[in-house]
Amino acid sequence: RNSGTDAATGDYIFYLDSDDLLFPNTIADLMALAERYPHADIVQGKMVSTNGVEAQYKKQQSSEIITKKTELLKLLLIPGENSVSSWNRLYRRLLIVDNKLRFCEGIIFEDVDFNFRISQYVNSIAFCKERTYLFRAQRDGSITNTINECRCAKDSLLIYESALKRITSSSRRITYRAVFLYAQGNMRALPDNEEIKNGYKRLINHLCDVATL
C-alpha cells in the first residue's frame, strides 16, 4: 500500500486487497459521490461478503456525509461503529501525502493503526449506498485465517500504545475509549504468555488511571 501510495498521481487513492473483488461500477459509483462532495476526505462504499453477509452500519444507512468531528472520530476509531478496513474507500490523495501518513509495515491489523493515524486529519466522510466491494471470506491461506495468536496480541498492543502516544486534546476522550474497547476485546482471548498478559494489564490500568483524572 505504501508503494502504491508513492506511485499514485491522481486525486484519489483506492486500496484493494489482492484476494477480494470489485463490482463493475465500483469506482464510477464512488467517484460520482466524490464529485458531489468534492471536499470529502474519504468516500466509503458498501461491502458484501462471499458468505452472504452485507455490512450494515447505522451512519452509512442514515447519512450520506458526516462532517462533525466527534462523529468522524467514532466512525474511524470505535470498534463496531464502522468498518476498520482501509480498502473500499476513496481517500483524497493529498490527505495522505501532505500529512505523511504511512501504513506500518510488518504488523497485523495495520488498518486499525492507520485509522488511528489518519483520524486526526479527516474532516468529512461520504457514504455510498451502492455495493462496491466483495470480500472473500474465509479464504484458505489469507492472513486472517493463518494468524498467530501471540503475534496478533503483540501487534495489537503495539498499535494501542502507539495511538496513545499520538493523542491530541480534540481526540483524547474518544481515543482512550477506542483503545480500551479494543484491548478489552483482546483480553478475552489472550494467549498463555505472561509478557503479553502483563502488557495488557499495564495498558488497562493506565486507561483506568486516566479515566479517574
Side-chain angles (χ1 to χ4, degrees):
R1 290 178 180 171
N2 289 333
S3 296
T5 299
D6 292 339
T9 59
D11 293 331
Y12 296 94
I13 293 174
F14 182 91
Y15 299 111
L16 166 68
D17 278 4
S18 60
D19 52 343
D20 295 331
L21 301 169
L22 300 182
F23 289 89
N25 294 323
T26 290
I27 301 301
D29 287 338
L30 293 175
M31 281 303 303
L33 196 58
E35 290 171 359
R36 191 181 310 163
Y37 300 105
H39 298 297
D41 290 318
I42 297 174
V43 177
Q44 180 174 316
K46 180 179 287 187
M47 183 274 287
V48 293
S49 174
T50 52
N51 61 13
V53 174
E54 181 172 317
Q56 301 287 344
Y57 298 105
K58 291 180 181 179
K59 287 296 181 182
Q60 189 164 20
Q61 296 175 41
S62 62
S63 305
E64 190 165 73
I65 188 163
I66 305 294
T67 57
K68 188 177 180 180
K69 190 61 180 182
T70 54
E71 293 300 322
L72 293 168
L73 289 170
K74 289 177 182 178
L75 286 168
L76 290 168
L77 301 182
I78 300 297
E81 289 288 328
N82 192 24
S83 171
V84 301
S85 300
S86 297
W87 41 251
N88 198 27
R89 293 172 176 171
L90 281 184
Y91 290 91
R92 198 166 52 78
R93 185 175 67 87
L94 292 182
L95 173 73
I96 295 174
V97 174
D98 288 351
N99 293 299
K100 298 180 173 57
L101 298 171
R102 311 289 289 179
F103 285 90
C104 187
E105 298 184 13
I107 65 168
I108 300 173
F109 306 135
E110 70 276 12
D111 286 0
V112 175
D113 177 73
F114 189 74
N115 283 338
F116 276 112
R117 293 175 186 275
I118 202 171
S119 61
Q120 61 183 301
Y121 304 110
V122 174
N123 292 311
S124 57
I125 299 177
F127 288 104
C128 180
K129 307 298 183 183
E130 305 299 325
R131 295 179 175 185
T132 54
Y133 199 94
L134 185 62
F135 174 71
R136 294 179 63 192
Q138 303 300 316
R139 185 182 66 82
D140 292 340
S142 67
I143 291 176
T144 51
N145 284 335
T146 58
I147 197 168
N148 176 280
E149 288 185 352
C150 284
R151 183 185 173 192
C152 169
K154 285 183 178 180
D155 285 358
S156 295
L157 184 60
L158 177 68
I159 290 169
Y160 309 150
E161 291 174 338
S162 177
L164 294 180
K165 290 177 182 177
R166 295 189 308 272
I167 205 165
T168 63
S169 58
S170 62
S171 66
R172 178 184 177 90
R173 182 178 178 182
I174 294 175
T175 300
Y176 277 129
R177 180 185 171 196
V179 170
F180 180 83
L181 291 173
Y182 272 119
Q184 189 178 50
N186 286 113
M187 290 188 72
R188 296 192 185 102
L190 286 179
D192 189 16
N193 181 297
E194 286 303 314
E195 179 185 355
I196 293 174
K197 288 180 178 179
N198 289 334
Y200 275 87
K201 287 178 182 177
R202 286 193 299 271
L203 175 64
I204 293 295
N205 288 337
H206 170 67
L207 294 172
C208 290
D209 289 342
V210 170
T212 61
L213 295 177

